[in-house]
Amino acid sequence: MSECLNCACVMRSMNRLNNCQVEQLEKNHAVVKFKKGASIIRQGMFSTNVVFLRNGLAKMHLNGPYHEQIVRVIKAPTYLGLPTTFGDKINQYSITAVIDSEVCFIDMNVFSMVLRENSDFSTHIIQELSKSELETYRRCANRTQKQVRGNLADVLLDFADNIFGSDEYTLPLSQSEIGNWVDASRESINRLLSEFVSDKIIDMKGKRIHILNKASLQLISQYG
Amino acid sequence: MSECLNCACVMRSMNRLNNCQVEQLEKNHAVVKFKKGASIIRQGMFSTNVVFLRNGLAKMHLNGPYHEQIVRVIKAPTYLGLPTTFGDKINQYSITAVIDSEVCFIDMNVFSMVLRENSDFSTHIIQELSKSELETYRRCANRTQKQVRGNLADVLLDFADNIFGSDEYTLPLSQSEIGNWVDASRESINRLLSEFVSDKIIDMKGKRIHILNKASLQLISQYG
DNA sequence: AATTTTTTGTGATATTAATCACATCATTTT
DNA sequence: AAAATGATGTGATTAATATCACAAAAAATT
């Protein structure tokens, strides 16, 4: 029974792949489980695989000049690290599982071959890369122009709307990780979270978040 | 006589294109000159062309939540706005000539066709996009983690090393544009430039910059 | 269960850089 | 050439956030 046909990541682009191509991928892939906190792609190492996140959640991060920089948090199903696979032999960033996750590694040469054979598929990849770059520009402009309060609101909303699909969730990152994501100190994140709690915008028990006043949070995200 | 064969941008990837493909591009392109300050690609407009910068210098910029954000300054020869062309029908950022420049527009459908026909070429584009995204991550992490002094040093070095290839050059951006690039107010940029002058790190007459102490500037870029 | 390590909470203080407010100089435009 | 607009230079003040310094709580490890 074909594991690749069941893989949501491949399925998303399957209409572009013929059976033979799926079979190629099938023969040259490996599914691996990663525990929370485990490193999936490591900055500075050789990259010889294309990586799919089949399920779970991962953070993309790199060594900045002063501290670790989290670039984005990505949920399955998605490609992981296409740019670092195609852009440089050596990984330019790391990817780490943020909750227990399942990952599929595909040999890069096989993937490249399929890309060469199938122009629809390569067009699809070009579009994915392009969209991801546009998103990066937008996020970067937001992060640098807004102040910490607004960026933190963004993070809380991002988890609710894009990642967990619920206004109640368990924060998968520590406060200092959130700081490394939105360019703030761990202390500032802490103080602002307390502020949100005392303003009844969120409820927080440990890492359990409940968004009580989403409208406020959206306003803060825009103007805060 | 073929204009495309003379275009440095196409020449860079020509070993990947056959005569027929060059001819296709040749028949569907238009070379346009832009004065300093003229808009080449405009955020919010439909994009129907792939754009090459044949010669000159351009800035890539987008509307941030509070002010214009300059993302990068790019010199010819280079593709312009591949991500915004392939990632979204509507341009997600603008490109503006920073000095008088010459640009080649190629119909996107023709370009896509060549991409589909020529897998080497599409691999090349995938690599370009990937590299550009990696660069974006790195730059963004630097910009957000370093303070303004270091980022300004970076800009001065970037002009010298990557753009003009000389330690003496005319700044093609105003101080407020530099501010929008490195996330600082125009006043801060001004004060820091004066500081560099009084520290004999640079000499400045109007927009004419002369780097006097490059080693210092590099130190400031690293630790400042 | 005990110990170590990591994460969180919070005050006091320091610092960077923004903002405001003008003056001056340079460029366009009229 | 005069007027208007935009760019630059510089001080005074304010504001946001980092940093330092601990204590307490939670989680991981032994």
Side-chain angles (χ1 to χ4, degrees), chain B residues 132-151:
Chain B
S132 149
E133 183 152 352
L134 294 178
E135 166 108 358
T136 304
Y137 291 141
R138 224 205 49 226
R139 278 184 191 254
C140 185
N142 273 289
R143 261 222 323 273
T144 54
Q145 288 185 26
K146 290 202 230 177
Q147 48 198 66
V148 181
R149 185 175 283 100
N151 285 321

Side-chain angles (χ1 to χ4, degrees), chain B residues 4-148:
Chain B
C4 277
L5 284 169
N6 279 333
C7 174
C9 304
V10 172
M11 282 174 63
R12 275 176 66 202
S13 30
M14 205 170 62
N15 54 336
R16 298 182 184 79
L17 295 178
N18 63 34
N19 289 338
C20 166
Q21 287 159 346
V22 170
E23 203 183 318
Q24 278 296 314
L25 296 176
E26 171 76 3
K27 276 195 297 198
N28 293 280
H29 84 140
V31 175
V32 183
K33 288 176 203 258
F34 286 85
K35 287 270 171 209
K36 172 181 173 178
S39 175
I40 299 171
I41 290 180
R42 210 182 289 260
Q43 182 171 4
M45 308 291 266
F46 263 105
S47 67
T48 55
N49 289 289
V50 170
V51 187
F52 287 144
L53 186 64
R54 284 162 60 98
N55 53 64
L57 197 62
K59 64 174 176 177
M60 181 185 297
H61 52 113
L62 47 89
N63 301 325
Y66 291 102
H67 56 80
E68 181 93 318
Q69 177 78 47
I70 296 186
V71 173
R72 52 169 69 166
V73 173
I74 2 177
K75 82 158 190 231
T78 182
Y79 302 95
L80 285 183
L82 282 184
T84 202
T85 306
F86 288 108
D88 202 317
K89 288 200 179 70
I90 291 177
N91 288 322
Q92 295 300 301
Y93 53 79
S94 300
I95 296 197
T96 301
V98 153
I99 59 176
D100 292 359
S101 299
E102 211 175 88
V103 165
C104 174
F105 290 91
I106 295 190
D107 184 85
M108 196 166 108
N109 294 318
V110 174
F111 193 84
S112 293
M113 209 178 64
V114 173
L115 269 183
R116 269 198 299 281
E117 277 174 11
N118 186 327
S119 62
D120 275 2
F121 188 54
S122 73
T123 300
H124 167 70
I125 295 293
I126 287 177
Q127 282 169 3
E128 289 277 319
L129 284 169
S130 297
K131 280 186 201 151
S132 149
E133 183 152 352
L134 294 178
E135 166 108 358
T136 304
Y137 291 141
R138 224 205 49 226
R139 278 184 191 254
C140 185
N142 273 289
R143 261 222 323 273
T144 54
Q145 288 185 26
K146 290 202 230 177
Q147 48 198 66
V148 181

